[in-house]
Protein backbone atom coordinates (compact mmCIF):
# COMPACT_ATOMS: atom_id res chain seq x y z
CA UNK A 1 0.00 0.00 0.00
CA UNK A 2 1.29 3.47 -0.94
CA UNK A 3 2.27 5.23 2.29
CA UNK A 4 1.41 8.60 0.70
CA UNK A 5 -2.22 7.48 0.71
CA UNK A 6 -2.00 6.76 4.43
CA UNK A 7 -0.34 10.13 5.11
CA UNK A 8 -3.15 11.85 3.23
CA UNK A 9 -5.78 9.86 5.15
CA UNK A 10 -4.25 10.85 8.51
CA UNK A 11 -4.01 14.52 7.52
CA UNK A 12 -7.65 14.64 6.39
CA UNK A 13 -8.64 12.91 9.64
CA UNK A 14 -6.61 15.46 11.63
CA UNK A 15 -7.92 18.58 9.89
CA UNK A 16 -11.41 17.23 9.02
CA UNK A 17 -11.13 19.36 5.90
CA UNK A 18 -9.90 18.41 2.41
CA UNK A 19 -8.79 21.95 1.61
CA UNK A 20 -6.73 22.36 4.79
CA UNK A 21 -5.21 18.91 4.34
CA UNK A 22 -4.24 19.87 0.80
CA UNK A 23 -2.53 23.07 2.05
CA UNK A 24 -0.60 21.17 4.73
CA UNK A 25 0.52 18.50 2.24
CA UNK A 26 1.33 21.01 -0.52
CA UNK A 27 -1.17 19.33 -2.85
CA UNK A 28 -4.25 20.43 -4.71
CA UNK A 29 -7.60 19.60 -3.15
CA UNK A 30 -8.45 17.37 -6.11
CA UNK A 31 -5.21 15.40 -5.52
CA UNK A 32 -6.18 14.85 -1.89
CA UNK A 33 -9.67 13.69 -2.90
CA UNK A 34 -8.17 11.36 -5.51
CA UNK A 35 -5.79 9.80 -2.96
CA UNK A 36 -8.64 9.18 -0.52
CA UNK A 37 -10.70 7.55 -3.29
CA UNK A 38 -7.72 5.37 -4.20
CA UNK A 39 -7.34 4.24 -0.60
CA UNK A 40 -11.05 3.55 -0.26
CA UNK A 41 -11.01 1.52 -3.49
CA UNK A 42 -8.02 -0.53 -2.32
CA UNK A 43 -9.71 -1.30 1.00
CA UNK A 44 -13.23 -1.63 -0.39
CA UNK A 45 -14.79 0.64 2.24
CA UNK A 46 -15.73 4.28 2.73
CA UNK A 47 -13.37 5.98 5.18
CA UNK A 48 -15.13 9.34 5.59
CA UNK A 49 -18.74 10.42 5.77
CA UNK A 50 -19.23 13.78 4.09
CA UNK A 51 -22.13 16.05 5.00
CA UNK A 52 -21.47 19.50 3.53
CA UNK A 53 -18.41 20.77 5.44
CA UNK A 54 -18.71 18.20 8.20
CA UNK A 55 -16.23 15.40 7.52
CA UNK A 56 -16.18 12.49 9.97
CA UNK A 57 -14.49 9.09 10.03
CA UNK A 58 -16.72 6.13 9.32
CA UNK A 59 -16.49 3.05 11.53
CA UNK A 60 -14.05 1.59 8.97
CA UNK A 61 -12.00 4.78 9.08
CA UNK A 62 -11.83 4.62 12.87
CA UNK A 63 -10.51 1.05 12.63
CA UNK A 64 -7.94 2.00 10.01
CA UNK A 65 -6.53 4.98 11.93
CA UNK A 66 -4.36 3.13 14.51
CA UNK A 67 -3.04 0.80 11.80
CA UNK A 68 -2.15 3.72 9.54
CA UNK A 69 -0.36 5.51 12.38
CA UNK A 70 1.52 2.33 13.31
CA UNK A 71 2.60 1.63 9.71
CA UNK A 72 3.89 5.16 9.15
CA UNK A 73 5.67 5.18 12.50
CA UNK A 74 7.30 1.83 11.72
CA UNK A 75 8.44 3.10 8.32
CA UNK A 76 9.82 6.29 9.84
CA UNK A 77 11.70 4.35 12.47
CA UNK A 78 13.09 1.93 9.89
CA UNK A 79 14.43 4.84 7.87
CA UNK A 80 15.99 6.38 10.95
CA UNK A 81 17.54 3.09 12.06
CA UNK A 82 19.09 2.53 8.63
CA UNK A 83 20.45 6.09 8.57
CA UNK A 84 22.05 5.98 12.03
CA UNK A 85 25.80 6.30 11.76
CA UNK A 86 28.25 3.71 13.03
CA UNK A 87 29.12 6.02 15.94
CA UNK A 88 25.46 6.05 16.97
CA UNK A 89 24.66 2.38 16.61
CA UNK A 90 21.84 2.43 19.18
CA UNK A 91 18.64 4.41 18.79
CA UNK A 92 16.00 4.89 21.49
CA UNK A 93 12.53 6.38 21.13
CA UNK A 94 10.80 8.22 23.96
CA UNK A 95 7.36 9.81 24.13
CA UNK A 96 5.13 11.65 26.57
CA UNK A 97 2.01 13.76 26.58
CA UNK A 98 2.49 17.52 26.16
CA UNK A 99 1.94 18.28 29.84
CA UNK A 100 4.59 15.75 30.93
CA UNK A 101 7.12 17.36 28.58
CA UNK A 102 6.22 20.75 30.05
CA UNK A 103 6.26 19.70 33.70
CA UNK A 104 9.51 17.73 33.78
CA UNK A 105 10.59 15.65 30.84
CA UNK A 106 12.05 18.31 28.53
CA UNK A 107 14.81 19.29 30.93
CA UNK A 108 15.26 15.68 32.04
CA UNK A 109 15.61 14.58 28.42
CA UNK A 110 18.18 17.31 27.71
CA UNK A 111 20.22 16.11 30.69
CA UNK A 112 19.97 12.47 29.56
CA UNK A 113 21.15 13.42 26.07
CA UNK A 114 24.19 15.12 27.53
CA UNK A 115 24.93 12.13 29.76
CA UNK A 116 24.55 9.61 26.90
CA UNK A 117 26.06 11.27 23.81
CA UNK A 118 26.46 7.96 21.95
CA UNK A 119 22.72 7.42 21.56
CA UNK A 120 20.52 8.47 18.66
CA UNK A 121 17.03 9.54 19.75
CA UNK A 122 13.48 9.93 18.56
CA UNK A 123 11.34 12.10 20.86
CA UNK A 124 7.57 12.45 20.40
CA UNK A 125 4.61 14.21 21.99
CA UNK A 126 1.30 12.39 21.60
CA UNK A 127 -1.85 11.31 23.39
CA UNK A 128 -1.68 8.68 26.13
CA UNK A 129 -3.80 6.13 24.23
CA UNK A 130 -1.58 6.38 21.17
CA UNK A 131 1.49 6.10 23.40
CA UNK A 132 0.23 2.89 24.99
CA UNK A 133 -0.40 1.32 21.57
CA UNK A 134 3.02 2.26 20.29
CA UNK A 135 4.80 0.85 23.35
CA UNK A 136 2.95 -2.45 22.92
CA UNK A 137 3.74 -2.52 19.21
CA UNK A 138 7.43 -1.80 19.97
CA UNK A 139 7.43 1.49 18.10
CA UNK A 140 8.35 3.25 21.37
CA UNK A 141 11.03 2.14 23.80
CA UNK A 142 10.03 4.36 26.71
CA UNK A 143 7.02 6.49 27.64
CA UNK A 144 6.58 8.89 30.55
CA UNK A 145 2.99 9.33 31.75
CA UNK A 146 0.90 10.54 34.66
CA UNK A 147 -1.78 7.88 34.19
CA UNK A 148 0.05 4.60 33.62
CA UNK A 149 -1.90 2.08 31.51
CA UNK A 150 -3.04 -1.02 33.36
CA UNK A 151 -1.68 -3.57 30.88
CA UNK A 152 0.00 -6.74 32.11
CA UNK A 153 2.57 -6.84 29.30
CA UNK A 154 4.02 -3.46 30.31
CA UNK A 155 6.60 -2.65 32.95
CA UNK A 156 5.56 0.35 35.06
CA UNK A 157 8.20 2.18 37.14
CA UNK A 158 7.28 5.10 39.37
CA UNK A 159 9.65 8.04 38.93
CA UNK A 160 8.27 10.31 41.64
CA UNK A 161 5.75 13.10 42.16
CA UNK A 162 5.14 16.38 40.37
CA UNK A 163 3.84 19.16 42.61
CA UNK A 164 1.11 21.31 41.04
CA UNK A 165 0.65 24.80 42.48
CA UNK A 166 -2.48 26.97 42.17
CA UNK A 167 -1.15 30.27 40.82
CA UNK A 168 -2.64 33.52 39.57
CA UNK A 169 -1.58 36.81 38.02
CA UNK A 170 -4.27 38.71 39.91
CA UNK A 171 -3.78 40.71 43.10
CA UNK A 172 -6.78 38.94 44.64
CA UNK A 173 -5.17 35.62 45.42
CA UNK A 174 -8.01 33.82 47.17
CA UNK A 175 -9.74 31.01 45.35
CA UNK A 176 -13.20 32.57 45.46
CA UNK A 177 -11.98 35.50 43.34
CA UNK A 178 -8.90 34.32 41.43
CA UNK A 179 -10.45 31.14 40.05
CA UNK A 180 -13.69 32.79 39.00
CA UNK A 181 -12.04 34.88 36.27
CA UNK A 182 -9.95 33.76 33.30
CA UNK A 183 -9.30 30.34 34.83
CA UNK A 184 -7.34 27.92 32.65
CA UNK A 185 -7.90 24.23 33.33
CA UNK A 186 -4.76 22.30 32.44
CA UNK A 187 -5.16 18.59 31.72
CA UNK A 188 -3.12 16.86 34.41
CA UNK A 189 -4.85 13.52 33.99
CA UNK A 190 -7.75 11.59 35.49
CA UNK A 191 -6.67 11.67 39.15
CA UNK A 192 -6.24 15.44 39.00
CA UNK A 193 -9.68 15.89 37.42
CA UNK A 194 -11.26 13.93 40.27
CA UNK A 195 -9.46 15.96 42.98
CA UNK A 196 -10.18 19.22 41.18
CA UNK A 197 -13.91 18.49 40.94
CA UNK A 198 -14.00 17.60 44.64
CA UNK A 199 -12.20 20.77 45.77
CA UNK A 200 -14.02 23.14 43.37
CA UNK A 201 -17.54 21.77 42.82
CA UNK A 202 -19.03 25.20 42.02
CA UNK A 203 -16.31 26.49 39.71
CA UNK A 204 -17.78 27.98 36.50
CA UNK A 205 -16.65 26.57 33.15
CA UNK A 206 -13.00 27.49 32.56
CA UNK A 207 -12.01 30.11 30.03
CA UNK A 208 -9.75 27.51 28.41
CA UNK A 209 -8.90 23.83 28.69
CA UNK A 210 -5.46 22.80 27.44
CA UNK A 211 -3.07 19.87 27.57
CA UNK A 212 -0.04 22.18 27.63
CA UNK A 213 1.14 24.01 30.73
CA UNK A 214 3.31 26.23 28.50
CA UNK A 215 0.24 27.45 26.62
CA UNK A 216 -1.49 28.19 29.93
CA UNK A 217 1.50 30.08 31.33
CA UNK A 218 2.00 32.14 28.16
CA UNK A 219 -1.67 33.16 28.13
CA UNK A 220 -1.55 34.07 31.81
CA UNK A 221 1.52 36.25 31.29
CA UNK A 222 -0.02 37.96 28.26
CA UNK A 223 -3.63 38.37 29.37
CA UNK A 224 -3.84 37.42 33.06
CA UNK A 225 -5.39 34.33 34.55
CA UNK A 226 -5.09 31.47 37.01
CA UNK A 227 -4.15 27.80 36.67
CA UNK A 228 -2.51 24.80 38.30
CA UNK A 229 1.10 24.69 37.10
CA UNK A 230 4.15 22.61 38.11
CA UNK A 231 6.38 24.12 40.77
CA UNK A 232 9.45 23.66 38.55
CA UNK A 233 7.87 25.96 35.97
CA UNK A 234 6.67 28.74 38.28
CA UNK A 235 9.10 28.92 41.21
CA UNK A 236 11.12 31.79 39.70
CA UNK A 237 7.94 33.64 38.72
CA UNK A 238 6.65 33.28 42.28
CA UNK A 239 9.97 34.55 43.64
CA UNK A 240 9.82 37.76 41.58
CA UNK A 241 6.06 38.19 42.21
CA UNK A 242 5.10 37.76 38.55
CA UNK A 243 2.73 35.07 39.88
CA UNK A 244 1.06 34.61 43.25
CA UNK A 245 -0.06 31.48 45.02
CA UNK A 246 -3.82 31.16 45.44
CA UNK A 247 -3.57 30.95 49.19
CA UNK A 248 -6.69 28.90 50.05
CA UNK A 249 -6.52 26.47 47.10
CA UNK A 250 -4.85 23.10 47.78
CA UNK A 251 -1.51 22.10 46.34
CA UNK A 252 -1.95 18.88 44.33
CA UNK A 253 0.53 16.21 43.28
CA UNK A 254 0.66 13.80 40.37
CA UNK A 255 2.59 10.56 40.25
CA UNK A 256 4.86 10.21 37.24
CA UNK A 257 5.55 6.79 35.69
CA UNK A 258 7.96 5.31 33.16
CA UNK A 259 6.31 2.76 30.85
CA UNK A 260 8.28 0.22 28.82
CA UNK A 261 8.34 -3.45 27.87
CA UNK A 262 10.19 -5.78 30.28
CA UNK A 263 11.86 -7.70 27.44
CA UNK A 264 12.77 -4.73 25.27
CA UNK A 265 15.94 -5.15 23.23
CA UNK A 266 17.54 -2.11 24.91
CA UNK A 267 16.43 -3.10 28.40
CA UNK A 268 19.70 -2.18 30.15
CA UNK A 269 19.81 1.29 28.58
CA UNK A 270 16.13 1.88 29.32
CA UNK A 271 16.62 0.87 32.97
CA UNK A 272 19.59 3.24 33.24
CA UNK A 273 17.56 6.11 31.78
CA UNK A 274 14.67 5.41 34.18
CA UNK A 275 17.11 5.54 37.12
CA UNK A 276 18.54 8.85 35.90
CA UNK A 277 15.08 10.37 35.40
CA UNK A 278 14.03 9.24 38.87
CA UNK A 279 17.13 10.85 40.39
CA UNK A 280 16.53 14.09 38.49
CA UNK A 281 12.89 14.24 39.55
CA UNK A 282 13.78 13.71 43.20
CA UNK A 283 16.42 16.45 43.05
CA UNK A 284 13.97 18.98 41.55
CA UNK A 285 11.39 18.11 44.21
CA UNK A 286 13.70 19.18 47.06
Amino acid sequence: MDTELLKTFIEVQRTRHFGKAAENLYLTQSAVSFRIRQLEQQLGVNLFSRYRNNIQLTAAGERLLPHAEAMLTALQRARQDVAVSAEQALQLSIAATANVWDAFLLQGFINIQRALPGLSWRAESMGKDQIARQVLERHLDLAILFDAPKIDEMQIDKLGDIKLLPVTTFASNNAAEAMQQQYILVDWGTAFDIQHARFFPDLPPPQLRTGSARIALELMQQSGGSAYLPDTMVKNLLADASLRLIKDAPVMTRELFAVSLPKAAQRSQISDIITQLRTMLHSTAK
Side-chain angles (χ1 to χ4, degrees):
M1 182 177 293
D2 186 349
T3 56
E4 293 303 315
L5 302 185
L6 295 178
K7 289 179 184 177
T8 305
F9 164 72
I10 289 175
E11 191 62 27
V12 173
Q13 181 275 330
R14 190 181 69 82
T15 60
R16 301 300 169 103
H17 194 281
F18 279 71
K20 291 178 182 176
E23 290 178 13
N24 294 342
L25 294 170
Y26 300 99
L27 297 170
T28 64
Q29 186 167 336
S30 61
V32 168
S33 298
F34 179 69
R35 287 185 178 184
I36 295 301
R37 285 198 302 273
Q38 277 188 296
L39 186 58
E40 290 177 329
Q41 288 169 3
Q42 288 184 19
L43 296 173
V45 294
N46 291 325
L47 298 173
F48 293 98
S49 58
R50 305 166 180 85
Y51 299 101
R52 296 182 181 177
N53 291 326
N54 185 16
I55 297 175
Q56 299 292 331
L57 284 175
T58 63
E62 292 282 2
R63 290 194 295 272
L64 175 62
L65 182 59
H67 298 293
E69 290 172 340
M71 283 188 279
L72 291 178
T73 300
L75 178 60
Q76 179 187 31
R77 186 165 186 184
R79 287 173 174 163
Q80 291 171 339
D81 285 341
V82 170
V84 170
S85 67
E87 291 78 20
Q88 293 179 313
L90 180 62
Q91 182 184 66
L92 285 173
S93 54
I94 185 170
T97 55
N99 53 12
V100 172
W101 281 109
D102 292 344
F104 164 71
L105 187 56
L106 179 56
Q107 188 57 52
F109 177 62
I110 291 170
N111 294 340
I112 293 284
Q113 275 194 306
R114 290 171 180 165
L116 301 171
L119 290 181
S120 174
W121 292 88
R122 181 169 61 89
E124 302 283 356
S125 176
M126 58 184 74
K128 62 182 181 180
D129 293 335
Q130 186 181 0
I131 286 175
R133 284 200 309 271
Q134 296 215 12
V135 170
L136 281 174
E137 294 167 358
R138 300 183 181 274
H139 300 313
L140 283 174
D141 298 306
L142 180 63
I144 311 298
L145 296 169
F146 285 125
D147 295 306
K150 295 178 173 59
I151 300 175
D152 292 338
E153 294 92 335
M154 291 181 174
Q155 178 170 322
I156 310 297
D157 296 284
K158 181 178 176 180
L159 298 177
D161 296 321
I162 297 288
K163 187 182 294 184
L164 302 173
L165 304 181
V167 293
T168 185
T169 60
F170 300 122
S172 300
N173 62 338
N174 62 79
E177 296 181 26
M179 299 183 73
Q180 295 289 327
Q181 51 182 332
Q182 294 177 236
Y183 180 62
I184 301 172
L185 182 57
V186 182
D187 179 12
W188 294 113
T190 304
F192 174 83
D193 288 343
I194 294 170
Q195 292 181 68
H196 192 278
R198 185 168 67 246
F199 285 124
F200 307 109
D202 301 319
L203 196 68
Q207 180 196 34
L208 170 71
R209 296 181 69 103
T210 178
S212 170
R214 293 191 182 278
I215 291 175
L217 179 58
E218 182 67 24
L219 286 172
M220 288 170 63
Q221 291 177 312
Q222 294 290 330
S223 306
S226 307
Y228 269 90
L229 297 175
D231 59 344
T232 52
M233 180 179 285
V234 301
K235 60 183 178 182
N236 292 335
L237 296 171
L238 290 169
D240 67 15
S242 299
L243 294 177
R244 299 173 180 82
L245 275 176
I246 301 175
K247 57 188 178 182
D248 55 344
V251 173
M252 301 192 204
T253 59
R254 289 297 343 255
E255 294 180 313
L256 196 61
F257 299 94
V259 180
S260 58
L261 294 179
K263 296 183 179 179
Q266 295 87 16
R267 185 68 251 171
S268 61
Q269 289 85 2
I270 293 169
S271 297
D272 182 43
I273 291 166
I274 290 171
T275 299
Q276 292 187 53
L277 289 174
R278 183 182 289 124
T279 300
M280 292 174 197
L281 184 57
H282 289 174
S283 67
T284 59
K286 292 180 181 179

